[in-house]
Amino acid sequence: MTRLVFAVLFAFQAVLAPLQAQTLSVVADEWPPFSGEALPNGGLSLDVISAVLRRAGYDVDTQVVPWARVIDGAQTGEFDIVGSLFEDAELQTFLSYSDPFFSTDVRLVQRKGDSHSFTTVDELRPFSIAVGDGFVYEADFDRADYLNKVVVTTTLQGVQMVAHGRVDLTLDSVDVIRHAITHDDPALADRVEFAPGVLVSQTLHMGVRHDLEGSTQIIADFNRVLGEMRDDGSLDALLAVHASRLIPE
Amino acid sequence: MIKQYFRDQLGFRLVLASLLIGSLLSVFSTGIQLVASYNSQRAEATGVLDQIETTMSETLELALWTFDFDQVNIILDGIASNAAVTHLDLSSVTGHRWTRGVASETPLQRIYDLKHTPSTGQVQHLGTLRVELSLEAVVDRVWAQFWVTLLTNLVKAYVAAIALLYIVHRMISRHMHTIAEHVDGSSVATPSTELHLDRATRTKTDDLDRIVRAVTAYEGRVRKTLNTLQTEIAERVKSEQDAREALSVRSTFIGTMSHEVRTPLNSILGFLHLIETGKEVPERQRHYANVASRAARQLHNQLSNVLDMSRLDSNAVTISTRPTDIRRLAAQWQETTAAAVHFHQKDIDVTLDLEADLDAEYELDGARLTQIITNLTDNAAKFTTKGEIRIGVRRAPKQPDNGIGTCLEISVADTGPGIAEEDAARIFDRFSQIDEGLSRSHGGTGLGLAISLEMAQLMGAELRLASDERDGFACEFLLTLHCNVRLDSDHAAS
Ligand SMILES: Nc1ncnc2c1ncn2[C@@H]1O[C@H](COP(=O)(O)OP(=O)(O)OP(=O)(O)O)[C@@H](O)[C@H]1O
Ligand SMILES: [Mg+2]
């Protein structure tokens, strides 16, 4: 009798297990408009990632924490998925990247009226450039230790330094720069402008930590559902929510 | 118990003095501590300003330069968290401004010029930070400290004072008390119990031991001296009594003898007088009787003198005053003197010089006064051969200070041989006569002036020989007598 009860219970559990949704903790740093506490649905990245994963049948829990904690938490297993990632080799040592779900240009910002000319990273040598602490811009640029880089904490600081002539240049995703100017210091719009040319066109990805059980499956599910959503137009609808923050040039 | 200590005035004053000094020192030392503490705390507070300069300004400059306003806020909050800092005002050249706290009127402030110094190129001015400090907290703390220190110091002083009170009482005051009681209670006649203090015996003696020893030794000495004195007094009393007895025996003897001699002498004088004045007495016998009568009279005088002297010695002479008409008395003296002059068969004028406005009556002993003056006039009559004897009565030049009564001056002057200056001192001595030869021829015992002087002293008068000779008189005796004026019946009634 007891034996029978255990057998039934075991069978029941075995049937229910695949149906039980896994709760994934998705984390991103404060990087408006891609991710941010005050943004609608946590910003573009977190909105897209959670929508796609939910549609794939996962439970999702999102939060915004400082960048250092993002990296630490992803390595210790505190967080499962990191949103808002540019392509980066170092991060890919412990994170598996999904297909991109958004692309943005990374451009240099100069004081209005300056006419610096450069086409390669090497040609940036004469300039002082404000860069975000630990930010990923473009592989060659990030590696270039010979450049006169001034480390700041936020993109806005870089733009302000350019505006007040403390550095020659700063750089970031055009979306990030526009968002910072528009929301934090509109007066800056009269003092800075994008330097001609695009440093790199970056894509936004989701990264799943390697040691998460079923990480491959999650990425596969994500890529599949993302394709479906791109095809059925629901991705565009979702992006439209954040369109107001992506002010065109 | 404590009450008893407080009643110990010496200890109490000592304690009060120590308390006063203790309190003053407490306030003084607390004041010094206060000043030192204030200075160190002020230095500590102002040290904050240097600390900002050395540790914070660099990061602040970097944060300001990189527009890291979160960091700016963190740094400012850090500075503002210091209790001494009351106000912060940071303004950047980019138009940003941060403030913390409320601005106040304080002399303690520092303005920092924040700048960015790149490795190459120009120094850039970033903004200015003004930091204001208030010492209010420091002052409050120092005051709190002051009161606590003062209170503890005062409590210390009081506790020490009370302890001192106890110690002074135990070690000194109660022993002083014992010594005082001992000295108070010890009578010189009966030796009291030995002075002993209730204290442990020590090998080394202190002042209290010395006092006890001194008191004991002094008592011994006093007792000894007293014994000697007492025996001496007893001896003197006895010898005095012996002397007095001897004197009284002598006086009684002299008195009795004089009386015993005078009675037959009076009958001799009486019978000689009868012979002198008898009708059928032949001239020759009448002359003999006259010589005998003279001798008897001299003998009588001498006896009277001796009798008076012995009565004076045994204090038998008393003075009793009565209202007396001095003019009449003076007239009697003149008569008596004239009789004496007649007796000596000399050609001498006896005059009376009375001051015009003398009062009617004076309170005086007429009999004794007459005795004195008679001695003086007798002498004058005896020693003067020709010329004048003048009796004067007048107010003395010097009257009593209090205005009560009058001082009368009675003088007896004569134109006799006078008295040399060197003899003036001894004529009032008993049995003293200047010119032995002259005196012998006149007879007398040399007692007259001595008796007169003593009697004058008895009635409070002064008898002396006038120092200067006046109006051609060779010798003048002056008696100054103080007596009350007898008022008229009219005056008395009113
Ligand atoms: N008026 C006088 N003139 C000169 N000598 C005087 C006069 N009165 C007193 N003397 C001198 O003073 C002496 C003492 O006088 P005092 O009356 O004491 O004694 P006395 O007259 O000699 O004897 P007594 O009075 O006893 O009969 C006299 O002996 C005389 O030498
Ligand atoms: Mg005489």
Side-chain angles (χ1 to χ4, degrees), chain B residues 60-362:
Chain B
L60 187 62
E61 280 165 354
L62 183 65
L64 211 57
W65 189 63
T66 60
F67 291 89
D68 191 350
F69 296 157
D70 286 344
Q71 185 66 24
V72 169
N73 280 320
I74 288 166
I75 292 168
L76 292 186
D77 287 341
I79 295 172
S81 70
N82 190 304
V85 175
T86 51
H87 182 59
L88 287 179
D89 188 351
L90 170 62
S91 57
S92 78
V93 290
T94 56
H96 296 90
R97 189 153 183 210
W98 296 261
T99 55
R100 296 284 189 283
V102 189
S104 61
E105 297 288 317
T106 170
L108 278 176
Q109 66 162 7
R110 198 177 289 178
I111 293 169
Y112 302 88
D113 185 24
L114 302 173
K115 50 197 179 303
H116 174 66
T117 317
S119 42
T120 56
Q122 284 229 309
V123 172
Q124 293 173 32
H125 179 62
L126 296 177
T128 48
L129 170 67
R130 198 171 85 242
V131 179
E132 290 180 2
L133 293 188
S134 160
L135 291 179
E136 218 167 281
V138 167
V139 170
D140 285 353
R141 217 169 23 237
V142 167
W143 271 114
Q145 217 175 316
F146 172 77
W147 289 120
V148 169
T149 317
L150 185 66
L151 216 70
T152 46
N153 275 349
L154 283 181
V155 167
K156 237 186 330 189
Y158 272 78
V159 170
I162 288 169
L164 188 69
L165 186 62
Y166 173 76
I167 291 167
V168 166
H169 177 83
R170 263 210 78 73
M171 286 180 66
I172 302 167
S173 298
R174 67 191 182 108
H175 298 310
M176 298 290 219
H177 191 72
T178 311
I179 292 168
E181 290 215 314
H182 174 85
V183 173
D184 259 356
S186 74
S187 130
V188 279
T190 54
S192 62
T193 48
E194 205 188 320
L195 175 59
H196 174 76
L197 299 183
D198 170 27
R199 62 208 299 254
T201 42
R202 291 179 187 76
T203 44
K204 281 191 178 170
T205 55
D206 55 23
D207 282 342
L208 277 175
D209 295 324
R210 240 165 282 152
I211 289 172
V212 169
R213 241 188 286 154
V215 166
T216 313
Y218 182 68
E219 273 177 350
R221 278 203 304 279
V222 165
R223 212 165 294 136
K224 211 159 132 199
T225 315
L226 215 68
N227 282 341
T228 326
L229 279 177
Q230 272 169 338
T231 26
E232 220 167 273
I233 287 170
E235 275 165 15
R236 280 194 197 171
V237 164
K238 193 179 177 311
S239 57
E240 220 169 82
Q241 200 168 338
D242 287 352
R244 218 177 298 130
E245 265 166 30
L247 195 68
S248 103
V249 165
R250 198 187 67 188
S251 296
T252 323
F253 171 75
I254 291 174
T256 316
M257 278 307 290
S258 303
H259 184 74
E260 292 303 316
V261 175
R262 242 184 334 176
T263 314
L265 202 57
N266 275 329
S267 48
I268 290 170
L269 278 170
F271 281 111
L272 285 174
H273 184 72
L274 283 181
I275 294 168
E276 273 180 288
T277 53
K279 283 188 177 112
E280 319 80 72
V281 180
E283 197 52 38
R284 197 181 171 87
Q285 275 75 12
R286 196 189 297 273
H287 176 70
Y288 294 155
N290 183 258
V291 171
S293 169
R294 236 173 240 266
R297 206 181 292 267
Q298 210 168 342
L299 190 63
H300 184 266
N301 270 343
Q302 282 172 356
L303 269 174
S304 296
N305 276 349
V306 169
L307 190 61
D308 281 343
M309 207 73 239
S310 80
R311 283 172 67 204
L312 278 168
D313 281 348
S314 54
N315 294 327
V317 180
T318 50
I319 305 294
S320 55
T321 59
R322 195 175 320 126
T324 309
D325 181 351
I326 191 80
R327 290 162 193 274
R328 197 184 308 159
L329 207 58
Q332 275 177 25
W333 296 337
Q334 189 184 21
E335 261 171 49
T336 316
T337 312
V341 166
H342 178 74
F343 175 76
H344 289 294
Q345 294 167 342
K346 286 177 180 170
D347 179 23
I348 301 169
D349 290 338
V350 179
T351 55
L352 189 60
D353 176 22
L354 286 177
E355 196 178 295
D357 61 342
L358 284 171
D359 285 299
E361 286 185 324
Y362 294 92

Side-chain angles (χ1 to χ4, degrees), chain B residues 375 378-379 382-383 448-449:
Chain B
N375 267 328
D378 273 356
N379 281 350
K382 205 155 61 170
F383 296 112
L449 283 178

Side-chain angles (χ1 to χ4, degrees), chain A residues 200-237:
Chain A
V200 69
S201 193
Q202 279 282 17
T203 46
L204 276 180
H205 304 261
M206 167 189 92
V208 183
R209 64 180 164 91
H210 286 326
D211 49 358
L212 181 69
E213 212 181 316
S215 62
T216 348
Q217 183 60 49
I218 292 167
I219 287 173
D221 286 344
F222 180 88
N223 290 344
R224 179 176 45 80
V225 174
L226 183 67
E228 287 169 19
M229 285 178 72
R230 197 174 274 139
D231 293 343
D232 65 13
S234 54
L235 182 63
D236 283 342

